[in-house]
């Protein structure tokens, strides 16, 4: 999905490759990045450090992308190339002139349902 000069697929490729220079170009210098599940807010430079210095090799697969006015929303599976870790991220990109002004993300670990739900024998795998 490309919206007003913002190529969401390329952005997630740059996240996976941990390309600091390419990632920096997606953001306004004053942008804020918020990770709500861990109650953290980052400047662009802090976000780049957190992303680009995270160990491992990564793959990102966009599972869904929606455009809502000046906001792009993605649901993305992010996993280690060796399949040792897997996450899902729901991301809200507030855009201004083709760059990210604010990014609000909700990250969750992929894994089995909690034991209490398994014991209830409800739900089924996707």
């Amino acid at each position: 999905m490309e919206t007003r000069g913002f190529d969401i697929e390329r952005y997630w490729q740059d996240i996976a490759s941990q390309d600091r220079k390419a990632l920096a170009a997606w953001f306004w210098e004053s942008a804020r990045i918020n990770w709500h599940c861990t109650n953290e807010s980052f400047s662009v430079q802090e976000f780049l450090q957190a992303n680009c210095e995270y160990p491992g090799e990564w793959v990102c697969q966009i599972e869904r992308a929606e455009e809502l006015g000046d906001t792009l929303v993605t649901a993305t599976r992010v996993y280690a190339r060796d399949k040792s870790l897997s996450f899902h991220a729901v991301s809200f990109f507030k855009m201004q002139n083709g760059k990210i002004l604010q990014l609000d993300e909700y990250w969750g670990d992929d894994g089995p349902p909690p034991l209490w739900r398994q014991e209830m024998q409800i739900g089924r795998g996707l």
Side-chain angles (χ1 to χ4, degrees):
M1 171 186 281
E2 186 170 333
T3 304
R4 296 178 289 265
F6 187 82
D7 184 341
I8 195 68
E9 291 178 13
R10 184 70 213 158
Y11 170 83
W12 279 107
Q13 289 172 6
D14 290 342
I15 288 286
S17 67
Q18 298 173 303
D19 186 334
R20 187 182 296 258
K21 184 177 179 181
L23 282 172
W26 294 110
F27 291 89
W28 289 104
E29 189 176 316
S30 62
R32 293 302 300 176
I33 299 88
N34 302 309
W35 288 352
H36 294 273
C37 295
T38 52
N39 197 33
E40 297 174 276
S41 182
F42 301 98
S43 68
V44 173
Q45 290 307 312
E46 291 168 332
F47 172 78
L48 295 175
Q49 182 178 0
N51 185 77
C52 296
E53 295 180 17
Y54 197 91
E57 295 181 14
W58 299 93
V59 176
C60 297
Q61 296 175 325
I62 298 171
E63 294 181 343
R64 184 172 178 175
E66 301 289 338
E67 183 178 350
L68 304 165
D70 65 353
T71 301
L72 296 175
V73 181
T74 61
T76 305
R77 179 172 178 232
V78 180
Y79 61 93
R81 196 168 293 283
D82 67 5
K83 309 259 174 122
S84 62
L85 295 169
S86 181
F87 309 93
H88 273 82
V90 176
S91 307
F92 294 82
F93 299 81
K94 183 174 174 96
M95 307 300 297
Q96 185 178 67
N97 298 325
K99 286 188 169 191
I100 301 167
L101 183 61
Q102 181 171 319
L103 175 56
D104 290 281
E105 293 192 304
Y106 301 84
W107 285 79
D109 296 346
D110 293 339
L115 185 57
W116 68 269
R117 272 203 314 274
Q118 291 179 40
E119 290 172 348
M120 292 176 75
Q121 298 181 352
I122 60 173
R124 57 184 78 54
L126 294 174

